[in-house]
Amino acid sequence: AQRVTQPEKLLSVFKGAPVELKCNYSYSGSPELFWYVQYSRQRLQLLLRHISRESIKGFTADLNKGETSFHLKKPFAQEEDSAMYYCALKAANTGNQFYFGTGTSLTVIP
Amino acid sequence: GAGVSQTPSNKVTEKGKYVELRCDPISGHTALYWYRQSLGQGPEFLIYFQGTGAADDSGLPNDRFFAVRPEGSVSTLKIQRTERGDSAVYLCASSSRTGGTGELFFGEGSRLTVL
């Protein structure tokens, strides 16, 4: 079975503080992992994907196969980072479905 | 269109009624996904189309749910004999290549309320 776990439903940090949103996955194949973000009153959109190894809006995420984790990090949080964040796994071995975690609501306090 | 379009944006219906939700994907996108999002939960996979055919419908909760994509573009999610537990936001997403990086482009969702 494929599963994505985001243990924190709510996370608050002060502006300028580091932030880490946790994501753990369970998948029997080779995973493709993504972070999606939903800002207030906007649609869900891609933030970053592990295969690109990119930094988007200051966020990075490293796939750790040993710990089966894909945590999202940013060294200095900004107010505009306040949003709902979803970790997603693409089950490429079994048909390209995307499975999403339950999401973490990030609030950056001014 | 410029993005994935879903209609209606809001639908209120009574228990037992039939409902159709429509998704118009980004032009040229061959893959189309339906998700259901209940309050406080992440998007729950329902069904995925590659072209006209359902490549995976394992997420449909029961036989009251059905989806079609007859011409490989617009898709309709159909729910028969609606129940209060069907109340949720139904999200549609499309993707240009299932074998590639696979970014999903989402619509704004159709909020279904079953009274």
Side-chain angles (χ1 to χ4, degrees):
Chain A
Q2 291 76 222
R3 176 172 291 184
V4 178
T5 304
Q6 294 180 251
E8 304 139 328
K9 286 192 91 64
L10 302 170
L11 183 63
S12 295
V13 300
F14 285 100
K15 178 182 174 181
V19 61
E20 180 178 66
L21 291 85
K22 291 183 168 48
C23 172
N24 288 89
Y25 67 91
S26 173
Y27 184 55
S28 56
S30 182
E32 294 184 44
L33 287 152
F34 303 77
W35 277 97
Y36 279 78
V37 61
Q38 189 167 27
Y39 300 104
S40 179
R41 289 183 288 278
Q42 293 186 28
R43 62 187 68 192
L44 201 55
Q45 59 187 285
L46 178 70
L47 179 61
L48 56 78
R49 63 200 115 194
H50 92 268
I51 59 172
S52 300
R53 305 182 69 82
E54 58 202 344
S55 173
I56 302 293
K57 298 184 179 181
F59 284 98
T60 59
D62 291 321
L63 177 61
N64 186 323
K65 292 187 178 180
E67 296 182 357
T68 61
S69 68
F70 187 57
H71 304 326
L72 183 67
K73 301 177 183 179
K74 184 170 182 176
F76 307 104
Q78 302 299 314
E79 290 179 63
E80 56 266 29
D81 297 329
S82 295
M84 196 75 186
Y85 291 81
Y86 294 95
C87 183
L89 180 147
K90 182 180 178 184
N93 287 13
T94 56
N96 292 314
Q97 305 94 321
F98 279 75
Y99 295 96
F100 287 79
T102 52
T104 298
S105 177
L106 174 65
T107 300
V108 179
I109 304 165
Chain B
V4 177
S5 176
Q6 291 187 247
T7 56
S9 55
N10 277 287
K11 175 70 176 178
V12 180
T13 191
E14 294 179 342
K15 179 174 179 246
K17 298 291 187 182
Y18 170 79
V19 165
E20 287 191 355
L21 306 175
R22 175 189 167 109
C23 173
D24 198 343
I26 292 173
S27 178
H29 279 192
T30 57
L32 185 146
Y33 298 75
W34 282 101
Y35 288 86
R36 177 170 69 176
Q37 188 170 24
S38 301
L39 195 62
Q41 301 297 315
E44 173 194 2
F45 171 77
L46 296 177
I47 186 170
Y48 141 62
F49 288 89
Q50 177 60 28
T52 59
D56 184 348
D57 64 358
S58 63
L60 295 177
N62 51 59
D63 61 6
R64 295 187 297 106
F65 287 75
F66 189 70
V68 295
R69 194 185 185 201
E71 297 179 358
S73 178
V74 171
S75 176
T76 304
L77 178 66
K78 307 180 180 191
I79 310 174
Q80 298 177 322
R81 305 183 303 281
T82 51
E83 299 177 357
R84 291 195 180 88
D86 298 335
S87 296
V89 175
Y90 289 81
L91 296 171
C92 177
S94 69
S95 178
S96 62
R97 293 173 57 208
T98 58
T101 56
E103 176 181 354
L104 295 182
F105 293 85
F106 280 88
E108 294 185 328
S110 292
R111 181 177 297 278
L112 175 65
T113 303
V114 182
L115 302 177

